[in-house]
Amino acid sequence: MSSVSDPAQAGTLEATIAAGINIALVKYWGKAPGTDNRPAVGSLSLTLDAPGTVTRVAFEPALVADTFRLNEAEADLRPVTRLLDEVRALAGIATRARVESRNTVPTAAGLASSASGFAALGLAAWQAAGLGRAGDPLDRRLVDLVRRGSGSAPRSLLGGFARIDVETAGVHPVTAAPGLEVSLVVALCADGPKSVSSRDGMALCAETSPYYPAWVESHPADLRAAEAAIGAGDFTALGEVMEHSTMKMHACMLASRPPLRYWAAGTLAALEALVPLRRDGRAYTTMDAGPHVKALCRREDEAAVADALRPVARAVLIARPGPAAHATTWDAGAR
Ligand code: PMV
C-alpha cells in the first residue's frame, strides 16, 4: 500500500506548467540586504503571451537523484535541486524528481528567460508535490520560492501587468483600463549570452555607482506614475515613465567601476530605427541587462514598429499581454 503522507507515492506525481516571460516597464535593479533575494526597489512588468518556458516536474520514487534537461540537453542541475529541496521540505517528501524544460527564450541573453524558467519550475514542482492545485490563489510561499531563483520570476506567475512591492516583496496584479491595448515588439540585437549576470551587475552597481542611491530614491515615483497611467489607460504617460526608468537604470550601470554596459552596437541601431515613431509618441523603448530592445506600442502600431526594427535586428517578435503561469500538457509546448 502506498503511503498517503507522501503525495508523490500516493500518485500526485507530476505537473506541467507554461509561463511567459515578463518585461519590466519600471525596473527592478538592486537587492535588499540579506540572503533572501529581496529587491531593493519595487517593479512593474508586463507578462507576454510568448516566448516562454514549459516545464514538467515528475517526482518518481525510483529515482536516486534529480535530473534536469533543458531543450533536450543535460543542463545545470544546481538551481533546480535547490528549488526542489525547498519544495520537498515544505511537502514533507524525499522523492527525487525528473525535470524537463522547453525554453523558447534565448537563454541568458538578457531576455528574462530566468523569470519564465523559475515561474514554470516553481509552480510545476509546487503542484506536483501536492502543495497546491491549478486555480488556487497565489500562495506567498510559492512567490518567495520562485523569487529566490530569480528576482523577476514572481511577476511571471501572474498574467498581464504585475507589480512587486518593495516593502513586502509580494506580487500583485495591476488592472489596466479596458481601452489600453498594448503590444511589446522585441528586437534581438546581438547573439550569445550576456557577459555579466544581473546578480553580479546589481552588486557592482550598488557598490560602485554614485548614481545608485539616486536610482533607489527616485524609484517609487516612477512606480506610482506607471500604475496610474495603466489604470487611466494613458499610453503616452506609461511609455514615457517606462523609458525614463530604463534610462536611469542604464545610466546607473554605466557609472559603475568598471562600467557596466549591456548595450551592443545593434542596441543603438534599434533605438535609432525607432526615432521617427518615438517622435510621434507611437513607440517607447526599454532594455534590460542585455542588448535587446523592446518597444511598447499601441496594438494598432505593432506592425509599423516591427517593420522599422526588422532591417537592423537579428530577429523581431511581436508579443502581447499573456496569461498567468498555468497548467498545460508537455506536448502542447511553448510558442
Ligand atoms: O530577475 P533577475 O534577477 O535576473 O533581474 C532582472 C533585472 C532586469 O531584467 C534588468 C529588470 C527587471 O525588473 O526585470
Side-chain angles (χ1 to χ4, degrees), residues 156-181:
S156 278
L157 292 171
L158 297 181
F161 295 103
R163 184 191 79 229
I164 292 182
D165 287 336
V166 65
E167 293 83 11
T168 63
V171 65
H172 306 280
V174 174
T175 307
L180 187 68
E181 298 222 317

Side-chain angles (χ1 to χ4, degrees), residues 22-31 37 42-45 110-112 114-115 147 149-155 194 197-199 202 249-250 253 262 287-290 294:
N22 75 75
I23 301 298
L25 310 187
V26 178
K27 304 296 186 189
Y28 142 59
W29 190 254
K31 298 195 189 288
N37 205 26
S43 56
L44 193 153
S45 63
L111 205 55
S114 64
R147 187 195 62 246
S150 163
S152 54
R155 301 185 314 227
K194 60 190 174 197
S197 71
S198 33
R199 207 170 280 246
M202 287 181 200
M249 181 181 77
H250 285 277
M253 292 167 169
Y262 287 106
M287 287 75 66
D288 290 295
K294 300 107 188 181

Side-chain angles (χ1 to χ4, degrees), residues 1 21 24 26 29 191 234 256 263:
M1 207 175 83
I21 67 167
V26 178
W29 190 254
D191 296 323
D234 187 340
S256 299
W263 295 11

Side-chain angles (χ1 to χ4, degrees), residues 226-308:
E227 189 157 3
I230 292 167
D234 187 340
F235 171 75
T236 305
L238 180 61
E240 284 180 1
V241 72
M242 179 192 82
E243 185 181 73
H244 182 56
S245 176
T246 295
M247 293 303 174
K248 276 196 299 187
M249 181 181 77
H250 285 277
C252 186
M253 292 167 169
L254 286 169
S256 299
R257 286 185 157 185
L260 190 55
R261 176 179 59 81
Y262 287 106
W263 295 11
T267 313
L268 281 175
L271 294 177
E272 281 294 321
L274 289 174
V275 165
L277 287 162
R278 169 65 184 87
R279 200 179 293 128
D280 293 345
R282 292 167 68 196
Y284 295 86
T285 46
T286 186
M287 287 75 66
D288 290 295
H292 311 304
V293 172
K294 300 107 188 181
L296 184 74
C297 61
R298 294 185 183 88
R299 182 81 43 94
E300 71 233 33
D301 282 329
E302 64 182 24
V305 172
D307 285 348

